[in-house]
Amino acid sequence: MRIVFMGTPDFSVPVLEALIGSHHQVVGVVTQPDKPKGRGKAIQMSPVKETALRHGLSIYQPVRARDAAFIEEMRRLKPEVMVVIAFGQILSKEFLEVPVHGCINIHASLLPKYRGSAPIQWAVINGERESGITTMMMDEGIDTGDMLEKRAIVLDEKETGGSLFDRLSLLGGELILSTLEKLEAGTLPRTPQNHQEATYVKKIPKSLGEIDWSMDATAIERLIRGLNPWPSAYTWLNGKMLKLWAADVLPEGGKENRISGKTSEEVKEYSAGDKRQKNVGVIVAALPAGLQIQTGNGILNITSLQLEGKKRMDTGAFLRGFPVQVGMRFGNRSDI
């Protein structure tokens, strides 16, 4: 089939590569305009544009894909279907009607759950056991169209936003070929979404990464994984920012005693009742195996972190260059 592909970030690239390697004809690639990036504000192409250039494909970069002139340009390509994944603009009804078979979106969740932005990171943060990819026919709503096919995967115990991003990106490339095969054969089912079961997730702001140590250790550990590698979870110690990259949850009165060497009475001093709430964010042990922090419920053992201006390192390496004492407290910027 004649396909116009629409996408912008790294997540879109495996789908484009899969289409290029198939028997389908990619007659055009639509991506966001080049933008300045970094401290030097150098103009940078999107990963999709870089991929399209390597394969000698025709590239279109509309400021507004809804504009009548651009819609007419797409009509001249005579696409049978458009494949859309993380393009970054809302498409009008007129645009969606350009291809004969409509526009197929590849969404990184098991719809109708996790419509909207950042479904990958929120799945990790919320402790979901599974996620996946859904192909769907696009309509004027945000991820509200009829579902076509789904492919689910089980999240690893230590799944991060980055690792799930990579897994679902590759899965999208596999699933779109299956969806297009069924579309060609006339056997592609369309299943309306149950809007009563829908959930929405918003774009993640950097501020979400600032850790509230009154949360329980399990929730903080999931936040650290979900925001790895971007925008990252962080806290403050003695006026310096620390990014946190990996941690384990140590249940009260259990594993933390064996790691820290503390007696049960010493652990109780930090974690019992009202004292636990007063001591949230306090370092209860500082060992090469991890920095152990009292949270609102449980001990969090930090195993990988990064001091501002420094490289990421394990806790043992961090402690050799940045002395930390039991009783010091992690806080937020307002505490500085």
Side-chain angles (χ1 to χ4, degrees):
M1 286 192 292
R2 291 175 60 84
I3 295 174
V4 166
F5 174 84
M6 304 181 70
T8 299
D10 289 332
F11 189 74
S12 310
V13 170
V15 173
L16 177 56
E17 295 277 14
L19 294 174
I20 292 170
S22 71
H23 68 276
H24 301 291
Q25 181 184 5
V26 179
V27 297
V29 172
V30 183
T31 189
Q32 293 277 51
D34 300 346
K35 295 180 180 179
K37 192 173 183 180
R39 293 181 181 178
K41 299 298 181 182
I43 300 299
Q44 186 169 343
M45 297 181 291
S46 73
V48 162
K49 181 177 179 180
E50 292 175 348
T51 303
L53 284 172
R54 286 198 303 270
H55 291 278
L57 299 174
S58 299
I59 299 168
Y60 303 85
Q61 296 181 270
V63 175
R64 280 172 49 90
R66 302 164 64 94
D67 289 347
F70 182 71
I71 293 174
E72 186 57 36
E73 193 169 14
M74 290 295 97
R75 287 196 182 104
R76 288 196 289 269
L77 293 178
K78 296 183 174 154
E80 294 174 83
V81 66
M82 288 185 176
V83 172
V84 184
I85 175 170
F87 171 57
Q89 294 186 34
I90 295 176
L91 304 177
S92 65
K93 182 175 183 293
E94 187 180 10
F95 188 97
L96 297 174
E97 292 173 347
V98 169
V100 176
H101 297 294
C103 296
I104 295 176
N105 180 250
I106 302 165
H107 186 72
S109 81
L110 299 174
L111 291 172
K113 293 184 67 174
Y114 291 96
R115 293 174 177 174
S117 303
I120 295 173
Q121 291 156 306
W122 281 113
V124 176
I125 293 170
N126 290 342
E128 296 289 350
R129 294 185 177 182
E130 67 173 10
S131 184
I133 289 287
T134 305
T135 53
M136 53 168 281
M137 296 303 303
M138 296 181 70
D139 59 18
E140 293 177 87
I142 299 176
D143 303 323
T144 56
D146 291 350
M147 299 177 294
L148 303 175
E149 291 191 286
K150 289 184 182 182
R151 192 78 54 84
I153 59 172
V154 176
L155 271 63
D156 185 80
E157 182 181 352
K158 285 298 183 180
E159 197 82 59
T160 66
S163 64
L164 186 57
F165 178 102
D166 292 341
R167 293 174 69 193
L168 293 182
S169 178
L170 293 173
L171 189 61
E174 297 172 8
L175 189 58
I176 189 58
L177 296 184
S178 169
T179 299
L180 292 175
E181 180 181 358
K182 291 180 175 65
L183 179 63
E184 281 187 297
T187 60
L188 184 62
R190 293 180 59 150
T191 306
Q193 295 188 45
N194 184 339
H195 302 303
Q196 300 301 316
E197 297 178 354
T199 59
Y200 288 86
V201 286
K202 296 181 179 180
K203 184 177 180 181
I204 288 179
K206 289 184 180 180
S207 59
L208 183 67
E210 186 164 13
I211 293 175
D212 175 1
W213 292 102
S214 68
M215 295 167 57
D216 67 64
T218 298
I220 295 173
E221 189 271 341
R222 292 199 307 250
L223 182 70
I224 291 170
R225 288 190 287 112
L227 300 185
N228 178 355
W230 189 93
S232 76
Y234 62 93
T235 189
W236 301 84
L237 183 64
N238 286 352
K240 294 185 179 294
M241 179 191 284
L242 282 171
K243 290 186 176 182
L244 306 183
W245 294 112
D248 299 307
V249 176
L250 307 181
E252 299 282 11
K255 186 178 177 183
E256 73 275 12
N257 295 352
R258 296 194 295 274
I259 291 181
S260 69
K262 285 183 175 296
T263 66
S264 296
E265 292 304 315
E266 287 175 312
V267 171
K268 287 178 182 178
E269 179 68 22
Y270 283 102
S271 60
D274 292 337
K275 284 188 176 181
R276 178 178 63 195
Q277 295 304 317
K278 291 179 181 178
N279 287 298
V280 294
V282 168
I283 299 171
V284 300
L287 299 168
L291 277 178
Q292 296 174 29
I293 315 300
Q294 177 65 58
T295 72
N297 182 23
I299 304 292
L300 190 72
N301 187 56
I302 301 168
T303 57
S304 179
L305 66 170
Q306 181 178 1
L307 183 66
E308 61 179 82
K310 303 293 183 180
K311 295 180 179 180
R312 175 177 174 174
M313 60 188 74
D314 61 40
T315 301
F318 170 77
L319 291 175
R320 288 194 290 272
F322 192 88
V324 171
Q325 297 178 348
V326 170
M328 296 175 73
R329 184 191 298 270
F330 286 143
N332 54 47
R333 195 163 195 173
S334 63
D335 296 328
I336 297 175

